[in-house]
Amino acid sequence: MNEETTQGRDRGSVYAVHLRSSAVVAVQFVAVAAALWVLAWVVGETWVILLPVLLALIACTVLWPPVRWLRSKGLPPAAAVMATLLLAVLVVAGVIAAVAPAVVEQSTELAQQASAGVVKVRDWLGGPPLNISQSQLDSAVSAITDRLNSSGAQIATGVFTGVGAATSALVTVFTAIVVTFFFLKDGPRFLPWLRRHVGRPAGPHLAGVSERVWSTLGGFIRTQAVVSLIDAVLIGIGLVIVGVPLAYALAIITFIGGFVPIVGAFVAGGLSVLIALVSNGPVDALIVLGIIVAVQQLEGNVLQPWLQSKSMNLHAVIVLLAVTLGASTFGVIGAFLAVPVAAAAAEIIRYYGEHVSGLTGEDDDGPDPESGPESDPESESGAEPDNEDDADAAAEVP
């Protein structure tokens, strides 16, 4: 009967059904796109508030283990958090105090070597095969000077903008520290509060997603810190052996750049090679380049797969696109936050996929297209499924 009915339909009715389905999908897509646009607008407008919160969450993933250990020893929550924060501030201040004198001392020498390099470039331009005359070089320098003088107002505006940005950064850091304190102190109460006030059926799902995102984010930050530390130590030792100025500062930059995958390593490595080229010459620069390439190969082929395994389950292309989008939208801080945000989003999508698989009775990898009714365990046992019970089970949210 169904076959006859299907054969009796004309093309116009089939086209109309398909068009209506396409229209419904298109309207749903537009609605979702509009909702995402509104969400992006809200994030942009409240970024000054969201940024300290995000930084505090990342800091909490690193500081929570010592806080938890101190609380397990009987220390009050506020005292445990305060002791951990003070220790973290002392560590950061100690690193800066240890590196700053070397940076100040070697930066003067590096500036002198850069000036000598400029003189060498001028002599090279004046010699064969270019044979640029001194008058032409003076004319080019004069043009650059005039351009800088005419842009004085813009440069001054940029300086004031930089001062304002530095002030905003200090406010953001202070706010993030305060938020971190309260997150570490009252964090364990958040999930029960969320589950209780949201209610069923969304409350348990929000709590479950939050736990998995927190676990993934903490594992990523701690693992990336270990990988970045190993990179910084190995590259720093190589720079010290070669005799590159600012080796300790470059090692710290390498450690910080490790938290921005792909792009951070490229920028930190390029800076090290550039300083080696200016200070020591092309041979040492090539040696430094070889050291950086070897360490990056060790990281990409051994450390990352071994330490992170498949916990992140993010393709390199997704990581690169996330870093590019974050950097183009929010600058350096966006590049830093891109991978943690992408990891959290991937975990949310993974949780949703597992929930859908549970409702449909499928495996995590999806149904086997080659399996038929013969592979159904209930069919093999001869038991008939109860449609009403299955419908009730599917309607319940686990």
Side-chain angles (χ1 to χ4, degrees), residues 353-364 366-368 376-377 390 393-394:
E354 294 174 1
H355 173 61
V356 173
S357 298
L359 292 178
T360 58
E362 301 171 356
D363 295 333
D364 292 340
D368 186 0
D376 190 353
D390 292 342

Side-chain angles (χ1 to χ4, degrees), residues 48-141:
V48 66
I49 299 175
L50 291 178
L51 179 57
V53 174
L54 294 176
L55 295 178
L57 286 175
I58 293 176
C60 287
T61 59
V62 180
L63 301 178
W64 172 243
V67 170
R68 180 176 53 192
W69 181 79
L70 290 176
R71 294 179 63 170
S72 66
K73 298 301 180 180
L75 203 64
V81 174
M82 185 61 67
T84 304
L85 285 177
L86 288 177
L87 179 61
V89 171
L90 289 176
V91 169
V92 174
V95 172
I96 295 176
V99 175
V103 173
V104 174
E105 179 182 356
Q106 295 179 355
S107 60
T108 304
E109 179 183 356
L110 189 62
Q112 295 175 354
Q113 292 173 347
S115 301
V118 172
V119 174
K120 291 180 180 179
V121 171
R122 186 185 62 185
D123 296 338
W124 177 76
L125 291 175
L130 298 178
N131 295 322
I132 300 176
S133 63
Q134 185 65 34
S135 61
Q136 291 176 326
L137 292 176
D138 294 340
S139 176
V141 173

Side-chain angles (χ1 to χ4, degrees), residues 268-354:
L271 183 60
S272 300
V273 173
L274 179 61
I275 292 179
L277 178 63
V278 173
S279 61
N280 295 19
V283 176
D284 287 349
L286 290 176
I287 295 175
V288 171
L289 178 61
I291 294 173
I292 292 174
V293 171
V295 172
Q296 293 300 325
Q297 290 298 317
L298 175 65
E299 173 195 343
N301 297 321
V302 179
L303 294 179
Q304 290 282 7
W306 178 48
L307 293 177
Q308 289 191 351
S309 184
K310 294 183 179 180
S311 60
M312 299 298 299
N313 198 18
L314 290 178
H315 195 275
V317 174
I318 297 178
V319 174
L320 181 59
L321 293 178
V323 172
T324 303
L325 178 61
S328 61
T329 306
F330 297 106
V332 177
I333 192 66
F336 171 71
L337 295 174
V339 178
V341 172
E347 191 61 41
I348 293 173
I349 295 174
R350 204 171 294 130
Y351 180 90
Y352 175 72
E354 294 174 1

Side-chain angles (χ1 to χ4, degrees), residues 211-221 311-312 343-344 347 350:
E211 290 178 354
R212 294 181 59 168
V213 169
W214 172 261
S215 177
T216 300
L217 186 61
F220 166 74
I221 296 298
S311 60
M312 299 298 299
E347 191 61 41
R350 204 171 294 130

Side-chain angles (χ1 to χ4, degrees), residues 184-276:
L184 292 173
K185 176 178 175 292
D186 302 325
R189 306 177 186 175
F190 174 72
L191 289 183
W193 176 86
L194 181 66
R195 188 183 295 109
R196 182 174 63 255
H197 285 78
V198 174
R200 299 184 62 88
H205 288 298
L206 287 177
V209 169
S210 299
E211 290 178 354
R212 294 181 59 168
V213 169
W214 172 261
S215 177
T216 300
L217 186 61
F220 166 74
I221 296 298
R222 288 188 291 269
T223 302
Q224 196 64 34
V226 173
V227 173
S228 300
L229 180 61
I230 295 175
D231 286 353
V233 170
L234 294 179
I235 293 177
I237 292 174
L239 295 176
V240 170
I241 293 175
V242 176
V244 178
L246 304 177
Y248 300 108
L250 291 174
I252 294 177
I253 294 175
T254 302
F255 173 76
I256 297 175
F259 288 92
V260 183
I262 302 175
V263 178
F266 177 79
V267 173
L271 183 60
S272 300
V273 173
L274 179 61
I275 292 179

